[in-house]
Amino acid sequence: MNLEPLQQKLLAAARAHPPADHVPYAFEKRIRAHLSALPPVDLAALWARALWRAAVPCVAFTLLLATWSFAPVPVSPTTEDLSQQFEQTLLAAADQLEESW
Amino acid sequence: MERTEAELIAAALKGDPASFEPLVQKYSPRVFATARRYARLEREVEDIAQEVWVKAFQKLGSFRGEAPFEHWLMRLAVRTCYDFLRAHQRNRESAFSELSEPEDDWLERFAAAPDSVNEQADAAKQLVERVLAQMSPPGRLIITLLEIEDRSVKEIAQLTGWSVPLVKVRAYRARAEMRKILAHIAKDKYL
């Protein structure tokens, strides 16, 4: 079956049957009553709710960082500590200079 | 003396729902017609319309009066309908085997002689509703606005808040999606 004409035919069918625009009886009264019953927008409450929502991921992230920082660090096989390695690297050029004299 | 739209909006902005009532009365037919394009059950249509008006009242402060109120309201209505489609996309119809007898007959007549079938027939309307109900929310929205309501890409971009290139990409995908669904029907029926 050729789909293109079928698609066009069905779209023409949809265009030929526009939806009804009737409104239920006293709909505007219902909306008015609904709007009157709505509580006024409390910005402080909205802000507090947003903060509470943000608190959960923040706490989770903090716990993750805490777990990571307290986790045992694998011991380096070298006996020298980092400060000594750093000093050696930094002064390597000076050492080479002394040897060349 | 009858108050103008601007006066009614100004009064509603001060929190007076009674001033909003004439606006609801005037524009509800358009809101209901829009909602009926996307929701089948009357209860769902009323829920959408109510949500549109509640949002309109709450967001009235963002209406700057540069464009007509109706345009602003229709943007809100289309976006509310899109939210409805996304919220209900799990309920999209899946069973093509349940085509009704008139739909079946219409398809058979179309397969035999494509030019002779009548697109005014109720069966064609039911069939197109079934196909649209199968589509993804953006696909259905685009096909409805572009192909059925005959709106321009620019208009759709304004209504949906999508960029013009995004509307074009989604229109291309929506047409392909619709053809895929039709191919599925044809395969089920004729292969």
Side-chain angles (χ1 to χ4, degrees), chain B residues 171-186:
Chain B
Y172 175 79
R173 284 189 196 147
R175 288 191 195 105
E177 190 186 356
M178 192 173 176
R179 266 198 297 277
K180 200 173 161 190
I181 294 169
L182 291 173
H184 193 101
I185 297 178

Side-chain angles (χ1 to χ4, degrees), chain B residues 130-156:
Chain B
R130 191 184 288 275
V131 172
L132 289 173
Q134 270 284 304
M135 294 185 72
S136 63
R140 182 172 183 173
L141 190 75
I142 283 282
I143 288 288
T144 305
L145 295 172
L146 191 70
E147 304 283 359
I148 301 174
E149 292 185 3
D150 219 12
R151 292 179 189 270
S152 68
V153 169
K154 201 177 160 193
E155 250 182 300
I156 296 171

Side-chain angles (χ1 to χ4, degrees), chain A residues 1-25 27-39 41, chain B residues 17-18 20-21 24-25 28-29 32-33 36-37 46 49-50 53-54 57-58 106 110-111 114 117 119-121 124-125 128 143 147-148 175 178-179 182-183 190:
Chain A
M1 188 190 282
N2 194 351
L3 296 176
E4 186 61 32
L6 177 61
Q7 187 175 19
Q8 292 309 320
K9 207 73 166 172
L10 289 176
L11 290 172
R15 281 191 288 269
H17 295 90
D21 65 354
H22 69 83
V23 178
Y25 177 72
F27 178 73
E28 66 281 358
K29 305 269 180 234
R30 207 188 313 167
I31 293 295
R32 183 183 165 175
H34 190 81
L35 293 177
S36 304
L38 280 180
V41 180
Chain B
F20 206 54
E21 202 179 309
V24 177
Q25 202 166 15
S28 275
F32 270 84
R36 284 192 183 104
R37 289 232 184 249
E46 281 187 32
Q50 179 169 311
W53 284 114
V54 170
F57 187 74
Q58 288 173 337
W106 190 89
F110 178 85
V117 288
E119 64 255 21
Q120 302 278 345
K125 183 193 163 203
V128 72
I143 288 288
E147 304 283 359
I148 301 174
R175 288 191 195 105
M178 192 173 176
R179 266 198 297 277
L182 291 173
Y190 298 102

